[in-house]
Amino acid sequence: MNKKPKFILGLTGSIAMGKTTVSSFFRDLNVPVWCADNEVEHLYKKNGAATKKISKVFPTVVTEKGIDKNKLRYLIHQDNAILEKIEDIVHPLLEHSKNEFVSLNENLPIIIFDIPLLFEKKLEKNFDAVLVVTASENTQRERVLKRKNMTEKDFQLIKRNQMNEEEKIKRADFIIDTDKSLLETKQEIAQIHKRIKGFL
């Protein structure tokens, strides 16, 4: 049987809820974090594993730098079924990367997987606990619309493909609300880290 870390925490939350900030604070505590969004960026680069496969199905979204996410988002706006086809390509590649991450950190007490669609893809059973990062809808919208090339239409499309916030919070083992100050968020993360270490 393969070895694995003593405690594997799933971290999730919708777009612009503050997952990147929360992950960085955990890294400050020497907890490694595997980030699905970062891995997708890698897979979408020129000669990336996903780019090669997607180019055969949707060649119009591929540029000399790799996958153009704006073009891909436009296609999904036209036909949401395209999202499922993209996921069928990307998810097996992500699964391979996740397994490598576990092997690389098998001797550590705690590791984290940052996965935006953790509940939507019914992945919670793979983790010892799940932390949901949340914020008010107004805060979320403000953060999203400040991002380059993001529109209200993009925001609504993303929300349509994600579980509602109340349900996520109901399923969470831990909750971080990033409407609070960075200092308060950092303190809450330190408390959660301490609680998890107490389980080991």
Side-chain angles (χ1 to χ4, degrees):
M1 184 176 175
N2 292 334
K3 287 178 65 180
K4 66 175 188 176
K6 292 179 182 176
F7 198 98
I8 302 180
L9 179 67
L11 186 155
T12 192
S14 186
I15 185 172
M17 288 301 196
K19 295 188 301 301
T20 301
T21 298
V22 170
S23 292
S24 71
F25 286 148
F26 272 111
R27 289 190 182 100
D28 289 344
L29 295 169
N30 297 315
V31 180
V33 181
W34 181 94
C35 176
D37 287 344
N38 290 348
E39 189 60 28
V40 168
E41 286 284 345
H42 177 70
L43 293 172
Y44 279 6
K45 286 182 178 178
K46 181 181 180 181
N47 298 322
T51 301
K52 294 175 183 177
K53 293 176 180 290
I54 291 172
S55 66
K56 296 176 182 177
V57 189
F58 305 108
T60 59
V61 305
V62 181
T63 71
E64 59 182 19
K65 293 182 179 179
I67 300 295
D68 185 321
K69 290 199 287 186
N70 290 323
K71 290 182 178 180
L72 185 57
R73 196 182 299 130
Y74 177 77
L75 280 187
I76 294 169
H77 279 322
Q78 307 308 307
D79 180 3
N80 203 46
I82 288 173
L83 180 62
E84 188 174 338
K85 294 177 182 177
I86 296 296
E87 289 177 344
D88 286 343
I89 292 170
V90 173
H91 285 176
L93 299 171
L94 292 177
E95 202 60 35
H96 177 71
S97 173
K98 285 159 66 178
N99 291 336
E100 284 188 333
F101 181 77
V102 170
S103 297
L104 187 66
N105 297 291
E106 65 183 13
N107 295 317
L108 296 182
I110 307 167
I111 65 170
I112 293 175
F113 284 92
D114 172 355
I115 304 174
L117 296 176
L118 188 153
F119 286 128
E120 288 83 351
K121 299 303 177 185
K122 298 179 172 56
L123 300 175
E124 58 266 42
K125 64 184 180 298
N126 298 332
F127 304 101
D128 296 302
V130 175
L131 186 158
V132 168
V133 183
T134 189
S136 69
E137 186 167 358
N138 285 340
T139 297
Q140 182 189 23
R141 177 178 280 103
E142 284 177 14
R143 291 173 180 171
V144 168
L145 297 181
K146 282 179 182 176
R147 293 186 178 186
K148 187 179 179 182
N149 298 320
M150 290 296 290
T151 66
E152 178 68 27
K153 189 176 180 181
D154 294 324
F155 177 54
Q156 294 304 328
L157 176 68
I158 290 166
K159 285 182 70 68
R160 193 169 76 220
N161 289 309
Q162 296 191 340
M163 184 182 290
N164 72 64
E165 206 60 21
E166 293 76 14
E167 184 61 27
K168 285 182 182 179
I169 289 170
K170 194 188 302 181
R171 297 186 184 198
D173 299 291
F174 303 105
I175 300 163
I176 293 285
D177 185 339
T178 61
D179 271 316
K180 299 173 183 175
S181 71
L182 284 175
L183 178 59
E184 288 174 298
T185 299
K186 191 170 188 176
Q187 289 172 339
E188 287 187 9
I189 289 165
Q191 290 169 3
I192 289 171
H193 182 246
K194 187 175 181 180
R195 283 183 63 190
I196 291 174
K197 287 178 73 177
F199 299 153
L200 304 180

